Amino acid sequence: MVSALFWGSIAGASLIIGGLLALFLPISKRLNGLIMAFGAGVLISAISFELVEEAVRTSAGSGGVAAGLFAGAMTFYGGDLLIDRLGGVQRKSSSGEQASGSALPIVLGTVLDGIPESIVLGLSLLSGEISISILAAIFISNIPEAIAGTKGLDQACWPHGRIMGMWGAVALLSTLAAVAGYTVFASAAPSTIAFVQAFAGGALLTMLADTMMPEAFEFGGKEVGLLTTLGFAVAFALRLLE
């Protein structure tokens, strides 16, 4: 459990780092879009090889992978729709459009994005060692998301302490999710673990298509495709080195 707590806190710290970078460094929307594209490529690789492929191997043909994949996609879709209706539709905007919304939907939306990947990080530790590619995917993808959200909240006149407090709370919840992924599923059947892996893969893939990749293209331009491919290649290389 200590290892899950440690690695979960490392992954969650990327949200705080992203927030601090946004507040104290002049990071342009274009640069953040390109970083986001790289992170998207890393996540796509992790979803493909660390989640879905691993789930297929673990399930041994039980059929739970397809169910988990679509359950994760529908869960994220439904949760995202609900949060939008609560006022969090612009929670990741970097243009200050969060001013009219409350903090709750913004926090809930960020948690919705981060919980599945944190649980998978904890699951990966059941093999006895951390998955570097999953850790890298979470860490790299969190930073541009936190930068975009922080810039928007800053323009919406949120106090800096409130912004960083929000990221700190989300980082803590993500850490606890990693611990939960490690402890709750430590003695779970292989079919259950496969379902959870596929569930997380479906949720993350839906998140990528719904928020991360559109914003990356909006601000990063044509080069986004190149950076996404580079991120995918780097993550795949890390997996081969494990």
Side-chain angles (χ1 to χ4, degrees), residues 3 8 11 30 47 68 95 97 99 101 115 136 146 162 170-171 179 184 194 209-210 214:
S3 60
R30 174 171 169 75
I47 292 167
S95 56
E97 296 174 74
I115 291 301
R162 186 185 183 194
V170 174
V179 174
V184 172
D210 181 66

Side-chain angles (χ1 to χ4, degrees), residues 7-192:
W7 291 114
S9 63
I10 293 295
S14 58
L15 292 167
I16 298 173
I17 292 171
L20 291 172
L21 289 174
L23 290 176
F24 298 108
L25 290 179
I27 299 174
S28 67
K29 289 183 179 180
R30 174 171 169 75
L31 176 59
N32 197 49
L34 294 175
I35 298 172
M36 198 172 289
F38 182 86
V42 173
L43 267 180
I44 291 170
S45 178
I47 292 167
S48 301
F49 302 112
E50 296 288 347
L51 296 181
V52 178
E53 183 183 38
E54 190 62 31
V56 171
R57 290 178 180 174
T58 305
S59 69
S62 65
V65 175
L69 196 66
F70 286 101
M74 291 304 298
T75 299
F76 181 89
Y77 174 80
D80 193 53
L81 194 64
L82 176 61
I83 289 166
D84 286 352
R85 291 179 177 177
L86 289 173
V89 64
Q90 298 293 346
R91 65 185 182 274
K92 292 185 179 180
S93 172
S94 57
S95 56
E97 296 174 74
Q98 300 94 328
S100 60
S102 67
L104 180 60
I106 296 172
V107 172
L108 289 177
T110 308
V111 170
L112 177 67
D113 296 343
I115 291 301
E117 59 193 25
S118 297
I119 290 176
V120 167
L121 181 65
L123 274 176
S124 72
L125 289 165
L126 294 176
S127 64
E129 56 185 27
I130 187 68
S131 169
I132 298 300
S133 55
I134 290 180
L135 179 64
I138 296 172
F139 196 94
I140 295 171
S141 63
N142 277 349
I143 288 177
E145 288 191 64
I147 289 173
T150 299
K151 283 188 173 294
L153 293 170
D154 189 37
Q155 290 184 33
C157 299
W158 277 41
H160 289 182
R162 186 185 183 194
I163 295 173
M164 295 312 302
M166 183 194 76
W167 290 127
V170 174
L172 176 60
L173 289 173
S174 297
T175 300
L176 294 177
V179 174
Y182 178 79
T183 56
V184 172
F185 299 104
S187 57
S191 59
T192 301

Side-chain angles (χ1 to χ4, degrees), residues 159-241:
H160 289 182
R162 186 185 183 194
I163 295 173
M164 295 312 302
M166 183 194 76
W167 290 127
V170 174
L172 176 60
L173 289 173
S174 297
T175 300
L176 294 177
V179 174
Y182 178 79
T183 56
V184 172
F185 299 104
S187 57
S191 59
T192 301
I193 293 177
F195 179 87
V196 173
Q197 289 172 322
F199 182 96
L204 289 173
L205 196 57
T206 306
M207 181 274 291
L208 279 170
D210 181 66
T211 59
M212 196 168 179
M213 296 184 74
E215 185 161 353
F217 182 78
E218 179 182 356
F219 296 119
K222 290 289 187 181
E223 290 76 17
V224 159
L226 299 176
L227 268 295
T228 302
T229 303
L230 178 62
F232 183 94
V234 169
F236 185 65
L238 286 174
R239 183 177 186 274
L240 293 178
L241 292 173

